[in-house]
Amino acid sequence: MKEKTLDFSFKYGALFIIAIVLVVFSFINENFMTYDNITDILRSISIVMFVAIGVTLSQIVDGFDLSVGSTVSLATVASAAMMVWYQQPLILVILVPLAIGAIIGLLNAFLIVKVRIPDLLATLAVMYIIGGVQKTYTKGFSIYNNMRFQDGTVAKGKFTPEFLWIGQGKLLGVPVPVVLMIVAVAAVHIFLTYTRWGRQLYITGGNREAARLSGISVNKIRLAAYVLSGIFAAFGGILYASRVGSGQIDAGAPLLMEAVASVFVGYSVLGAGKPNVIGTFFGAVLIGVLLNGLTMLNVPYFGFDIVKGGVLVLALAITFVHLNRRKS
């Protein structure tokens, strides 16, 4: 009975908790299950989900990318600066931050693969470096329309409606960020599940030496994972700037813990026992539903970190209890 209970909690625990939370909040507040509120929840987790996809990819190759939050921050101010400071076309506003994310991924991969610094330490160092770069670049100021520089001049550019549509618009009644998130989740799931490269990512993370002996270029696979992690985090930064209509410094700092929690909750969705993008999505939904429900109950915002930490501890406990049972 104990074994069956543990197996059930591992396979369906996250989904069961999501269902319970939805029911409880629906009884407490009649506006919770409305279409507008559900779309608000999905829109709120869209940025976190892009960051979490990057963390998922790094976890698949048995790594960990702690720099994704700083990457979001730098991409946010970079996209804002491209519009407000330099009046660049939309294509460059999107491509430049994505290129920055790829460069950060290359830096992480170089430190981890070539220099052989442990992934947690390497990405932690890069996190601080990138955080310092974005603050130095903006001199500690957020970027917004008609902002005034220290010399008294006013920025000539502004956020265009086309750029704001990415984060604020709707497509057939569905928020654009939600559409982008669903497309990204589906595309990454298909890539990881049904392509040779996706399977190579899992093989590399499962047993690096066995992957090498089977002819897989392990270093290239790990490099690709970190580059993709940086690109997805950068796109999250673009979405953030588009949604709020400004380039906020340290915008990505709170997103790291939410992304990590989403990934580890995803380990236990349907008993996957490994990083997977579908599980990560449900983990993000759980956190989004909890935060939205607590907001509707007027719970003070400074208590939200307790909830996030509690969800992370619960996810880690369920995951590692099951994995240790499997090993024993």
Side-chain angles (χ1 to χ4, degrees), residues 26-187:
S26 298
F27 276 111
I28 294 176
N29 193 314
E30 61 182 8
N31 295 319
F32 180 78
M33 285 298 290
T34 61
Y35 175 79
D36 288 340
N37 192 55
I38 295 300
T39 54
D40 282 343
I41 293 174
L42 293 176
R43 179 162 42 197
S44 70
I45 70 171
S46 59
I47 299 173
V48 174
M49 189 60 211
F50 276 98
V51 181
I53 289 175
V55 177
T56 301
L57 292 171
S58 67
Q59 282 270 289
I60 287 174
V61 295
D62 195 28
F64 208 120
D65 191 353
L66 290 176
S67 67
V68 288
S70 293
T71 303
V72 170
S73 300
L74 184 57
T76 298
V77 298
S79 58
M82 293 292 291
M83 302 202 79
V84 177
W85 290 359
Y86 308 119
Q87 302 98 55
Q88 296 299 308
L90 180 62
I91 185 67
L92 288 180
V93 172
I94 294 175
L95 290 180
V96 169
L98 293 180
I100 291 173
I103 292 171
I104 295 172
L106 284 171
L107 175 60
N108 283 328
F110 172 76
L111 295 175
I112 295 167
V113 177
K114 293 296 183 182
V115 185
R116 297 188 179 182
I117 301 174
D119 52 346
L120 287 175
L121 299 178
T123 56
L124 179 65
V126 172
M127 178 184 75
Y128 282 114
I129 292 171
I130 300 305
V133 168
Q134 59 111 7
K135 292 175 185 175
T136 302
Y137 178 66
T138 61
K139 295 181 173 60
F141 296 102
S142 296
I143 302 174
Y144 48 89
N145 289 342
N146 303 315
M147 71 174 295
R148 187 175 296 274
F149 297 110
Q150 290 178 310
D151 60 3
T153 59
V154 177
K156 296 181 180 180
K158 60 174 58 179
F159 286 88
T160 63
E162 294 80 9
F163 180 73
L164 294 176
W165 180 80
I166 298 173
Q168 302 176 12
K170 291 187 176 182
L171 191 64
L172 300 177
V174 181
V176 174
V178 176
V179 175
L180 294 174
M181 175 182 66
I182 293 172
V183 170
V185 169

Side-chain angles (χ1 to χ4, degrees), residues 259-283:
V260 171
S262 300
V263 172
F264 280 105
V265 170
Y267 270 68
S268 62
V269 172
L270 300 179
K274 61 184 180 181
N276 67 99
V277 72
I278 298 298
T280 298
F281 171 73
F282 281 107

